[in-house]
Amino acid sequence: MTMLDAPELTAAEIARAVARALGTLGSAPVAYSQVTDGIFGDVDAAVAAAKAAQKAYMGCTMKFRRQIVAAIREFILVPENLQYMAEQAVLQTGMGNVRDKILKNRYVAELTPGVEDLVTEAWSGDEGLTTIELSPFGVIAAITPVTNPTETILCNSIGMLAAGNAVVFSPHPRGRDLSVWLVRRLNAVLSGIGAPPNLLTMVAEPTVENTTALMTHRDVAMIVATGGPGLVRTALASGKKTIGAGAGNPPAVVDATAIIDKAARDIIAGCTFDNNLPCTSEKEVIVVDAAADLLVFEMTKAGAYLIKEPAELKRLEELVVMGRQANPDWIGKSALEIARAAGIDAPSNTRVLIAETDLMHPIVQVELMMPVLGIVRAKDVDQAIEWAILCEHGFRHTATMHSTDVGALTKMGKLIQTTIYVKNGPSFAGLGVGGEGYITFTIAGPTGEGLTSARTFTRRRRCVLVGGLNVR
Ligand code: NAD
């Protein structure tokens, strides 16, 4: 069977293919020597396999691409898969919590755009018909972070395959075994419905050397780098078309016109989700003086523990901050684990540790990625906005504001210029969860593509038919 006559599958047939793939593969982490489906010993082999797969994939119909996306969604939503991915992610990376990781993967399945995202533009007139077609780049190198080990691979897979590409993943080494498991499973699911083998590949050892070799490989047409500033800088230096999805340090601004109890609950919901791992999560609060006492009170009612003792704050800082970075040992840990380690006697229902600090305190300025939130008092909303911009470090990533003053909301949005700007909601509303819009786990601030989706992974091509098909 050639790919041109790949089977047209019903939903039930896709479900059976997913079930077959699940039945044929064990769930234990795999040793390198056993790895075959999409997993390669070196970069050249992984890229060559993806290149061959992409060439075959070009012969498939758009309908078949839709079936591929449907199969991936179905695979994710199998309850055992959701559970396994979440548990293993927490176990292997030591970060986040199972409940929220299940939700994150579920949202990927339900809210990531597929083939429908590839909208053709057209002009017709006396000279004929011209369309802009969104065509694949070819082989994409996708580098993924430890903070969303399965979410990014799954979300990228849906968008990149919907767009007609093949992908070589380079995941973070701390999630290596789970990534191998996932890429193998996805390949098994896809080959079960007749897709070319190796549309999704990875190198068994995702070292920095291998990732660098991948990013500079001649057959890689596009790099999608999701991670910290070092990764994005390296990817941009490759000279290839790069989508850079980098770090953030999202501030939450609260002014005196906000509905304070709701603002407190929203901030707590956003900043505790998956133990603050999402790059979009609230990382510090700037509140106007007039609203600060009430906000802190409402936050403590909603599960925050307020650190008042300077000695406790000092111990916390020494534990979680390493120079200008977060201590990786505490990234994605729960508030209680962090409190215990810092010798802070927080009650067992504590969801986040908060402390009033000055603006330049490290727990405000450093992207901590853990449920620890500095609260900074500003004299008025103008100062709050100015300070929020300072905390965001020009990453242009995410910011939230709680206010009923349209002028203030507008001013903040204009000045901070973040890719995601949520007004009066938790940060995850900006990912389509409790807010309108689709989800992605690759938010391209530095290179400006914004919330990536299938169309981001395409080239715009103009197709011109001269002198015909204008029927107006
Ligand atoms: P990280 O930068 O340490 O690692 C990300 C990936 O890049 C990993 O696969 C790692 O192995 C690789 N890597 C890192 N430096 C490299 C280099 N110099 N050369 C080659 N490969 C390199 O980030 P992390 O700790 O895995 O993830 C957390 C960071 O990612 C945070 O800063 C967070 O804000 C950011 N992030 C951004 C987004 C987004 O969409 N913008 C999404 C998730 C995470």
Side-chain angles (χ1 to χ4, degrees):
M1 183 183 67
T2 68
M3 287 321 304
L4 285 170
D5 47 51
E8 303 276 321
L9 299 159
T10 63
E13 283 165 329
I14 291 173
R16 275 198 294 278
V18 172
R20 264 199 313 278
L22 296 180
T24 53
L25 293 168
S27 62
V30 279
Y32 305 2
S33 58
Q34 299 171 296
V35 170
T36 49
D37 286 332
I39 314 297
F40 292 86
D42 64 80
V43 171
D44 281 339
V47 175
K51 188 179 175 187
Q54 202 271 333
K55 196 169 170 206
Y57 194 32
M58 286 303 287
C60 296
T61 60
M62 298 301 282
K63 183 170 182 182
F64 189 64
R65 281 198 213 172
R66 276 191 277 276
Q67 289 168 343
I68 281 192
V69 171
I72 296 175
R73 294 192 204 282
E74 182 130 3
F75 164 83
I76 300 170
L77 291 172
V78 172
E80 293 77 16
N81 288 348
L82 285 169
Q83 191 70 31
Y84 181 79
M85 288 189 288
E87 282 176 3
Q88 287 300 314
V90 173
L91 200 70
Q92 293 181 25
T93 67
M95 299 176 183
N97 66 69
V98 171
R99 189 201 60 182
D100 293 342
K101 286 196 183 295
I102 289 175
L103 286 174
K104 284 163 79 181
N105 284 304
R106 179 181 285 283
Y107 295 143
V108 168
E110 292 169 350
L111 296 173
T112 306
V115 178
E116 73 286 357
D117 195 50
L118 309 175
V119 180
T120 302
E121 291 169 42
W123 297 270
S124 66
D126 295 339
E127 306 292 357
L129 173 70
T130 293
T131 58
I132 298 291
E133 298 289 355
L134 302 182
S135 288
F137 264 83
V139 176
I140 298 179
I143 299 98
T144 61
V146 68
T147 46
N148 305 317
T150 55
E151 301 88 326
T152 315
I153 290 180
L154 290 167
C155 187
N156 281 177
S157 294
I158 291 175
M160 292 170 186
L161 293 181
N165 302 286
V167 193
V168 183
F169 283 106
S170 185
H172 194 285
R174 269 174 85 167
R176 178 255 173 212
D177 285 355
L178 181 56
S179 306
V180 168
W181 177 90
L182 185 55
V183 170
R184 285 192 78 198
R185 286 291 176 116
L186 290 172
N187 270 299
V189 167
L190 298 188
S191 47
I193 61 169
N198 300 315
L199 276 175
L200 304 171
T201 66
M202 70 172 264
V203 181
E205 281 299 352
T207 58
V208 170
E209 293 70 33
N210 278 339
T211 308
T212 308
L214 175 64
M215 289 194 285
T216 50
H217 197 287
R218 67 181 180 284
D219 288 331
V220 166
M222 173 187 249
I223 298 171
V224 178
T226 311
L231 168 67
V232 173
R233 260 196 312 275
T234 309
L236 284 168
S238 69
K240 288 185 192 289
K241 165 74 182 174
T242 295
I243 293 175
N249 193 35
V253 168
V254 183
D255 79 4
T257 71
I259 300 162
I260 301 294
D261 58 336
K262 179 176 181 302
R265 287 195 305 275
D266 284 348
I267 293 169
I268 300 276
C271 83
T272 56
F273 188 58
D274 204 17
N275 296 349
N276 200 262
L277 282 181
C279 51
T280 45
S281 291
E282 293 83 346
K283 301 279 189 289
E284 63 279 334
V285 177
I286 318 288
V287 53
V288 298
D289 192 34
D293 289 342
L294 184 56
L295 182 75
V296 168
F297 171 72
E298 292 292 348
M299 287 179 81
T300 55
K301 262 173 61 183
Y305 176 75
L306 177 65
I307 298 169
K308 294 185 188 136
E309 290 298 322
E312 286 189 346
L313 179 58
K314 191 72 200 156
R315 286 204 300 277
L316 177 68
E317 180 192 334
E318 282 166 3
L319 182 77
V320 301
V321 180
M322 275 174 40
R324 291 163 66 188
Q325 287 183 326
N327 181 339
D329 292 345
W330 296 100
I331 291 177
K333 294 283 194 271
S334 71
L336 270 184
E337 287 170 290
I338 296 167
R340 254 184 244 123
I344 297 167
D345 190 20
S348 60
N349 61 351
T350 300
R351 299 173 65 195
V352 55
L353 305 175
I354 62 173
E356 280 204 42
T357 69
D358 62 87
L359 175 66
M360 298 316 290
H361 196 283
I363 71 164
V364 171
Q365 295 295 330
V366 175
E367 185 198 25
L368 288 181
M369 294 178 281
M370 60 188 80
V372 169
L373 220 53
I375 316 277
V376 182
R377 281 179 195 248
K379 68 176 186 307
D380 57 25
V381 69
D382 292 333
Q383 187 174 60
I385 292 171
E386 188 189 316
W387 285 0
I389 292 165
L390 210 142
C391 296
E392 217 272 323
H393 305 305
F395 290 141
R396 296 186 167 196
H397 198 297
T398 298
T400 65
M401 183 169 188
H402 300 266
S403 170
T404 54
D405 177 347
V406 172
L409 288 167
T410 309
K411 180 175 180 182
M412 165 103 167
K414 276 203 172 188
L415 291 178
I416 200 157
Q417 286 291 324
T418 46
T419 306
I420 296 177
Y421 175 38
V422 177
K423 297 167 280 277
N424 297 320
S427 51
F428 48 67
L431 296 177
V433 177
E436 290 299 325
Y438 61 89
I439 204 166
T440 180
F441 281 86
T442 296
I443 299 147
T447 48
E449 291 80 2
L451 284 87
T452 57
S453 60
R455 72 180 72 172
T456 318
F457 310 119
T458 60
R459 299 161 49 234
R460 290 169 61 84
R461 297 172 57 215
R462 181 180 281 208
C463 297
V464 182
L465 174 73
V466 177
L469 281 180
N470 167 30
V471 295
R472 287 179 292 177

